[in-house]
């Protein structure tokens, strides 16, 4: 978004150059220097930038197979064809290291002021950004990263070593949060306004930190024995019904609205955004919702405008028994999808959390749902990493699914949608709708009908993947790579082989600026250390 790009130049760019006295007399007065940029300004920027970056990342939305190209645009996308080049990775790399640089500045200021609260928060956010770098790229600079002019060509640390360091770092951040919480004289001061995520609630930050630690442990749980560590923090993370939701004061104006709503939905003049036209939900996502009677279908997906056959002949719905179906996704990576009126789009309900284009632009942005913690703990119980066995795994699973639906209760109940063919609203509460969903005669979602561990693992991970739609595509992609659930297929337009892309190539900036450490990577074969396998897959079937 325009503001994000501008602030990246002003806030993060200056911190790289402010370590030198070169041409001091000619400093641009519009640039805030490191010594004058307050920790409040930096914190608000980093959090807002993380929100925008997470939710508007095209490549990650493609990689987790939530979205694909629509029939409105021509050409192909590199993330769908698999023809990823280093230049496609630049933004995913540079944005995170820029934030890490800003967070180090916050940390430095907090240490100088003996402010444990800010130090703990900066520590948590730094861990998240490094975790994301490893999950996208594998081995990355960590010990020598963002250290200024002394390390202009930082070495690459092994992914497993970075994760080991991050587990120590998150513990340090938690200790700092504890220090601030237990200090009766600690004053939140301006933190309440500067902190977009938790509004200065340090106890929520501590729960958030433990949830991040849980994500680190579960990510490596297939390659390391971390059962004891998971068990030690199982009850310390976010409550399953809790949601970290950011809102710096969104309102209906250009570049001032909820990032998800504005980027993927509509402008402040209620015109359809470019990306609402250019990308659409995949058939994998729509089918999971429609075929399993998921009440979130009306929230996540808007029905197609026309039941007629695609006028260009790119979809034969009648052949597949879908000619009377309003909810139809586009096969992942299809080069020539059905025209815009003949396939579903991203739902108004998930973008606005209701049918209102007045309330939607100023609604909260979901950052981390407690449901994610519930899905992690369900898996941990199923695998015997924590106590309770199958009964506890079922309990966590059902509570997590229920929580994921409760986030959109207003949209589920809303009868204000005007689209033809829209599914009816639920008649009761989201909790009641979830109970009905989980009790149906369908072993895909009803735990009691599942007979194997594989079926239960698939259910946990698939529901996690669904719950992360329009919230955290990287987490959805990382968890799918780790567990291989839900079972995804190779892009219809993939140019090479029958395997899924499992990582991004290192960016061009590293090839040019850090050539001695830059690596050429096979994006199909070079596994992230926590990923055990990447077997050949079927190709997504189209509707022809």
């Amino acid at each position: 978004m325009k503001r994000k790009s501008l602030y990246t130049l002003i806030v993060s760019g200056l911190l790289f150059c402010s370590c030198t006295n070169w041409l001091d007399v000619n400093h641009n007065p519009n640039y805030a220097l490191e010594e004058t940029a307050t920790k409040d300004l930096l914190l608000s920027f980093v959090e807002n930038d993380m929100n925008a970056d997470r939710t508007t990342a095209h490549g990650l939305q493609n990689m987790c197979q939530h979205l694909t190209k629509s029939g409105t645009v021509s050409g192909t996308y590199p993330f769908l064809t698999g023809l990823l080049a280093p230049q496609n990775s630049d933004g995913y790399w540079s944005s995170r290291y820029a934030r890490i640089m800003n967070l180090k500045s916050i940390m430095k200021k907090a240490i100088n002021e003996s402010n444990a609260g800010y130090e703990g928060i900066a520590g948590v956010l730094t861990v998240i950004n490094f975790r994301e770098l490893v999950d996208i790229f594998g081995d990355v600079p960590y010990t020598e990263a963002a250290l200024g002019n002394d390390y202009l060509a930082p070495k690459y640390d092994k992914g497993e070593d970075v994760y080991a360091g991050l587990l120590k770092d998150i513990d340090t951040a938690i200790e700092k949060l504890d220090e601030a919480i237990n200090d009766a004289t600690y004053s939140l001061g301006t933190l309440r306004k500067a902190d977009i995520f938790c509004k200065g609630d340090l106890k929520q930050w501590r729960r958030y930190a433990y949830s991040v630690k849980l994500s680190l442990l579960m990510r490596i749980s297939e390659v390391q024995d971390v059962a004891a560590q998971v068990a030690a923090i199982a009850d310390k993370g976010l409550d399953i019904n809790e949601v970290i939701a950011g809102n710096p004061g969104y309102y209906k104006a250009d570049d001032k609205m909820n990032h998800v709503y504005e980027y993927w939905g509509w402008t402040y003049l209620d015109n359809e955004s470019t990306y609402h036209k250019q990308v659409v939900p995949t058939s994998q996502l729509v089918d999971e919702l429609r075929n399993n009677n998921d009440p979130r279908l009306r929230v996540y997906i808007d029905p197609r405008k026309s039941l007629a056959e695609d006028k260009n002949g790119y979809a034969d719905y009648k052949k597949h028994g879908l000619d009377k179906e309003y909810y139809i996704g586009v096969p992942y990576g299809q080069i020539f999808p059905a025209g815009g009126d003949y396939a579903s789009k991203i739902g108004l309900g998930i973008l606005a959390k209701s049918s209102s284009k007045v309330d939607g632009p100023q609604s909260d942005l979901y950052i981390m749902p407690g449901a994610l913690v519930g899905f992690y703990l369900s898996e941990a119980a199923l695998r015997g990493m924590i106590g309770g066995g199958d009964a506890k795994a079922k309990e966590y699973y059902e509570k997590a699914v229920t929580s994921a639906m409760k986030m959109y209760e207003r949209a589920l109940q809303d009868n204000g949608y005007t689209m033809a063919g829209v599914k009816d609203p639920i008649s009761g509460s989201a909790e009641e709708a979830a109970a009905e969903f989980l009790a149906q005669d369908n072993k895909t979602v009803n735990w009691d009908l599942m007979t194997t561990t594989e079926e239960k693992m698939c259910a946990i991970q698939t529901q996690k993947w669904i719950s992360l739609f329009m919230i955290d595509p990287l987490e959805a992609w990382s968890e799918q790579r780790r567990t291989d659930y839900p079972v995804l297929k190779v892009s219809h337009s993939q140019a090479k082989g029958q395997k899924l892309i499992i990582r991004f190539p290192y960016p061009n900036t590293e090839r040019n600026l850090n050539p001695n450490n830059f690596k050429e990577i096979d994006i199909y074969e070079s596994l992230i250390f926590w990923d055990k396998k990447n077997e050949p897959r079927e190709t997504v079937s189209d509707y022809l």
Side-chain angles (χ1 to χ4, degrees):
M1 302 181 76
K2 287 178 285 185
R3 174 176 292 180
K4 185 183 85 167
S5 300
L6 177 64
Y7 281 8
T8 301
L9 289 173
I10 292 177
V11 182
S12 62
L14 73 95
L15 296 189
F16 284 98
C17 66
S18 62
C19 300
T20 177
N21 293 322
W22 183 65
L23 290 181
D24 278 346
V25 295
N26 290 325
H27 276 312
N28 186 333
N30 293 320
Y31 278 80
L33 299 176
E34 181 178 10
E35 56 268 26
T36 59
T38 67
K39 59 185 185 299
D40 285 342
L41 173 64
L42 291 172
L43 178 61
S44 296
F45 162 73
V46 167
E47 292 182 343
N48 187 59
D49 194 59
M50 288 177 68
N51 287 346
D53 204 16
R54 179 191 301 113
T55 54
T56 62
H58 282 258
L60 299 177
Q61 298 280 8
N62 290 154
M63 290 299 91
C64 73
Q65 295 197 23
H66 282 159
L67 299 177
T68 187
K69 63 169 286 190
S70 75
T72 303
V73 294
S74 59
T76 55
Y77 297 166
F79 295 100
L80 299 176
T81 62
L83 299 176
L84 282 177
Q87 59 264 31
N88 300 125
S89 299
D90 284 343
Y92 296 91
W93 180 277
S94 62
S95 63
R96 287 167 176 80
Y97 277 114
R99 290 195 291 266
I100 289 167
M101 190 69 156
N102 282 317
L103 288 164
K104 284 185 177 291
S105 182
I106 295 172
M107 189 87 69
K108 178 181 176 182
K109 293 173 184 291
I111 291 172
N112 289 340
E113 299 170 11
S114 299
N115 194 315
Y118 279 88
E119 191 176 348
I121 290 171
V124 175
L125 296 177
T126 301
V127 168
I128 292 171
N129 279 278
F130 271 121
R131 181 198 65 187
E132 291 182 351
L133 282 162
V134 174
D135 292 350
I136 296 172
F137 295 102
D139 299 347
V140 296
Y142 167 66
T143 54
E144 296 181 358
L147 294 180
N149 292 339
D150 293 335
Y151 292 92
L152 296 179
K155 70 175 183 178
Y156 284 31
D157 297 278
K158 291 182 178 179
E160 52 263 54
D161 293 338
V162 178
Y163 257 66
L166 296 181
L167 285 168
K168 294 178 182 178
D169 293 343
I170 199 68
D171 282 342
T172 299
I174 291 169
E175 290 173 2
K176 287 298 175 181
L177 291 169
D178 280 337
E179 180 182 330
I181 290 168
N182 295 327
D183 181 357
T185 66
Y186 184 82
S187 174
L188 292 174
T190 55
L191 180 59
R192 291 187 180 91
K193 291 184 177 180
D195 175 18
I196 295 171
F197 285 12
C198 301
K199 301 295 188 292
D201 185 340
L202 296 181
K203 291 183 178 179
Q204 186 176 56
W205 266 107
R206 182 169 58 188
R207 295 193 296 275
Y208 186 20
Y210 275 116
S211 301
V212 172
K213 183 176 182 179
L214 179 63
S215 75
L216 291 165
L217 292 170
M218 293 304 294
R219 193 87 87 241
I220 63 176
S221 64
E222 299 281 0
V223 295
Q224 296 180 32
D225 182 3
V226 293
Q229 293 168 270
V230 171
I233 64 169
D235 61 348
K236 295 183 178 181
L238 296 174
D239 181 83
I240 293 178
N241 288 310
E242 188 174 7
V243 182
I244 301 291
N247 193 329
Y250 298 126
Y251 61 97
K252 194 169 184 177
D254 186 32
D255 205 27
K256 305 292 191 300
M257 301 189 287
N258 176 301
H259 297 300
V260 170
Y261 180 92
E262 185 168 12
Y263 195 82
W264 300 109
W266 293 270
T267 70
Y268 74 105
L269 296 175
D270 293 339
N271 296 318
E272 187 179 15
S273 74
T274 298
Y275 297 111
H276 195 257
K277 299 175 185 176
Q278 291 187 354
V279 295
V280 292
T282 61
S283 54
Q284 172 91 4
L285 177 62
V286 178
D287 289 354
E288 286 287 352
L289 296 166
R290 187 191 65 234
N291 295 345
N292 293 307
N293 301 309
D294 194 314
R296 288 169 293 185
L297 178 63
R298 74 190 308 264
V299 176
Y300 280 26
I301 314 296
D302 278 353
R304 59 181 175 136
K305 292 182 179 179
S306 174
L307 286 180
E309 289 296 311
D310 173 33
K311 64 181 180 180
N312 295 316
Y314 295 143
D316 185 354
Y317 294 140
K318 188 172 184 179
K319 176 181 175 181
H320 297 271
L322 296 171
D323 51 312
K324 303 300 181 184
E325 179 56 63
Y326 276 99
Y327 292 91
I328 299 179
V330 167
Y332 179 62
Q334 185 171 350
I335 298 175
F336 299 109
D341 289 345
Y342 308 101
S344 293
K345 293 189 176 183
I346 303 171
L348 172 59
I350 198 167
L351 298 176
K353 302 183 180 67
S354 72
S355 66
S356 174
K357 291 184 180 179
V358 175
D359 297 339
Q362 52 195 351
S363 63
D364 290 345
L365 187 77
Y366 292 154
I367 297 165
M368 186 178 194
L372 178 60
V373 173
F375 288 124
Y376 274 131
L377 294 176
S378 178
E379 177 190 347
L382 184 66
R383 293 171 55 191
M385 300 171 67
I386 60 176
D390 186 82
K392 199 65 176 178
K394 174 188 176 183
E395 179 185 340
Y396 280 129
Y397 164 76
E398 292 186 342
K399 285 183 176 180
V401 171
T402 302
S403 174
M405 291 193 186
K406 287 170 69 175
M407 289 194 296
Y408 301 103
E409 183 170 63
R410 181 181 175 190
L412 287 166
Q413 296 171 336
D414 196 325
N415 63 2
Y417 300 106
T418 59
M419 300 84 76
V422 69
K423 291 289 185 183
D424 292 335
I426 60 174
S427 58
S429 67
E431 188 168 354
E432 291 168 335
E436 183 178 347
F437 169 75
L438 293 166
Q440 64 183 302
D441 187 16
N442 179 353
K443 68 185 302 183
T444 301
V445 298
N446 186 330
W447 189 276
D448 292 333
L449 299 180
M450 302 173 198
T451 57
T452 68
T453 299
E454 288 72 22
E455 288 174 342
K456 294 171 181 177
M457 185 66 75
C458 182
I460 294 168
Q461 305 305 337
T462 299
Q463 289 300 315
K464 180 195 297 177
W465 177 79
I466 290 171
S467 73
L468 291 170
F469 181 50
M470 285 291 140
I471 296 179
D472 196 338
L474 176 54
E475 186 71 11
W477 183 38
S478 297
E479 284 299 282
Q480 195 284 324
R481 286 177 288 164
R482 176 180 72 88
T483 66
D484 294 306
Y485 293 117
V487 177
L488 301 180
K489 298 180 180 180
V490 170
S491 166
H492 193 276
S493 59
Q494 185 163 299
K496 177 183 176 182
Q498 289 298 118
K499 293 186 177 182
L500 296 171
I501 296 171
I502 52 172
R503 65 191 302 167
F504 283 11
Y506 290 109
N508 251 349
T509 49
E510 285 298 285
R511 185 199 299 273
N512 297 329
L513 301 176
N514 196 2
N516 292 333
N517 291 306
F518 175 83
K519 305 175 184 179
E520 295 286 356
I521 292 296
D522 188 321
I523 61 174
Y524 299 98
E525 300 294 341
S526 183
L527 297 169
I528 305 293
F529 82 96
W530 43 251
D531 190 4
K532 293 178 66 176
K533 62 182 180 180
N534 186 30
E535 297 176 341
R537 309 295 182 104
E538 297 178 30
T539 301
V540 176
S541 299
D542 59 26
Y543 284 130
L544 296 178

